[in-house]
Amino acid sequence: MGRVQDKVALVTGGAMGIGKACAMTLAREGARVLVTDVQDADGKAVVEEINASGGEARYSHHDVTQEQQWQSVIAEVLAAYDRLDLLVNNAGIAIAAASITEMSLEDFQRQNAVNLDGVFLGMKYCIPVMVENGGGSIINMSSVAGLKGSANLAAYSMTKGGVRLLSKSVAIECAQAGNGIRVNSVHPGIIDTAIWDKMMLNPDSGANTVDRDGIAMAMVPGAKLGSPQDIANGVLHLASDDSSYMTGMEFVIDHGLTA
Ligand SMILES: NC(=O)c1ccc[n+]([C@@H]2O[C@H](COP(=O)([O-])OP(=O)(O)OC[C@H]3O[C@@H](n4cnc5c(N)ncnc54)[C@H](O)[C@@H]3O)[C@@H](O)[C@H]2O)c1
């Protein structure tokens, strides 16, 4: 208990899945958490759960693709807590396509907007605030798909590879500036969340032909699916001062998938 005691955290896409587990875990370990998402009912339910169990959390509607909403969220966190120590840039979507030639430009740009613009804007607006309190930890959610190519998820894979090198580059900038901010990327393997149910290879027919369990069986040694908590445990380590010498690192949590 108390591994991030009294730190202030912002978790994007915190209404469900990995983001929810991160928000609950950071709150359990003493952080005050601003949970943000576009799914307001689920996001508010997460906050109620945290507050009912003795933690401290708030919810804010926040589309990570919208620059102005980042400015509002930063204003809210400063008004409520007067500081920011931790940013978990978790919000993400995965748009599948049978092949790159069958992907629309609109889908390609939407994929990029959520997964990369969102991470860029998060760092752009949170770093100056973290500098004010002498440092912080930024955790950007990438994927094993950011380490290797993924058929049917080419654009998703591109964004996650982008998150990986954006994180490393900003980590170097922060280290060279001596501003006390660490930046790392997290690379989950096959995790049991709703993101898989939303991947439609053939959306016109409503058919979801991405077989998560089949992929896990084929690719993960031991055929083991991960849980959101498995990822939140890694995020907690990067958020806590236990990882104070870790920056610019890719934290792979995949049960050997990429091994
Ligand atoms: N589940 C996996 O197997 C897996 C593997 C590797 C990486 N990831 C990454 O982990 C992160 C979380 O994914 P998850 O599996 O929990 O998915 P999820 O679909 O369960 O949750 C994603 C959350 O992000 C929110 N979101 C989507 N678009 C948003 C936007 N524009 N602004 C704000 N919030 C938005 C959703 O409302 C949702 O609450 C994503 O970045 C994903 O790419 C997941």
Side-chain angles (χ1 to χ4, degrees):
M1 297 289 280
R3 289 179 62 195
V4 287
Q5 195 65 43
D6 298 330
K7 291 185 191 287
V8 175
L10 168 52
V11 180
T12 70
M16 59 197 301
I18 292 170
K20 176 181 176 180
C22 291
M24 307 271 306
T25 301
L26 293 171
R28 186 196 72 209
E29 295 292 332
R32 293 164 285 169
V33 184
L34 181 63
V35 176
T36 75
D37 208 293
V38 288
Q39 296 194 68
D40 296 335
D42 289 334
K44 286 175 185 166
V46 171
V47 161
E48 279 166 23
E49 207 175 324
I50 290 172
N51 290 332
S53 56
E56 158 81 38
R58 303 166 66 90
Y59 175 75
S60 200
H61 179 90
H62 175 207
D63 180 339
V64 296
T65 68
Q66 300 302 308
E67 185 164 16
Q68 196 273 326
Q69 291 186 26
W70 273 102
Q71 293 165 322
S72 306
V73 160
I74 295 298
E76 185 180 343
V77 89
L78 288 179
Y81 302 122
D82 205 27
R83 60 185 292 129
L84 180 66
D85 305 281
L86 308 171
L87 167 65
V88 185
N89 260 326
N90 164 77
I93 59 171
I95 304 178
S99 72
I100 198 69
T101 57
E102 289 178 50
M103 183 162 219
S104 68
L105 179 59
E106 188 187 17
D107 277 352
F108 185 81
Q109 290 173 337
R110 175 78 188 145
Q111 181 66 83
N112 203 58
V114 178
N115 291 15
L116 259 180
D117 292 4
V119 170
F120 157 70
L121 289 169
M123 293 199 286
K124 176 177 170 62
Y125 284 102
C126 291
I127 286 174
V129 179
M130 289 179 172
V131 165
E132 290 295 309
N133 49 268
S137 175
I138 296 175
I139 299 147
N140 293 327
M141 202 57 69
S142 179
S143 169
V144 289
L147 301 172
K148 57 200 281 294
S150 304
N152 306 137
L153 283 168
Y156 176 79
S157 201
M158 170 201 71
T159 62
K160 293 303 186 180
V163 168
R164 172 178 173 269
L165 281 182
L166 185 59
S167 304
K168 286 182 189 295
S169 302
V170 178
I172 296 168
E173 287 182 5
C174 289
Q176 288 178 343
N179 62 19
I181 298 173
R182 298 184 292 109
V183 186
N184 293 288
S185 55
V186 172
H187 300 257
I190 313 291
I191 311 302
D192 187 7
T193 73
I195 201 169
W196 293 92
D197 306 325
K198 300 175 208 163
M199 283 182 214
M200 297 284 183
L201 266 183
N202 190 357
D204 293 339
S205 69
N208 178 1
T209 46
V210 176
D211 176 10
R212 181 199 63 189
D213 293 339
I215 292 171
M217 284 295 188
M219 294 179 69
V220 184
K224 196 171 190 279
L225 207 59
S227 71
Q229 190 62 51
D230 290 322
I231 307 307
N233 293 341
V235 167
L236 175 64
H237 182 64
L238 292 174
S240 81
D241 294 338
D242 293 345
S243 60
S244 59
Y245 200 63
M246 290 166 67
T247 194
M249 189 202 68
E250 47 202 64
F251 197 165
V252 181
I253 308 173
D254 70 349
H255 205 257
L257 187 154
T258 51

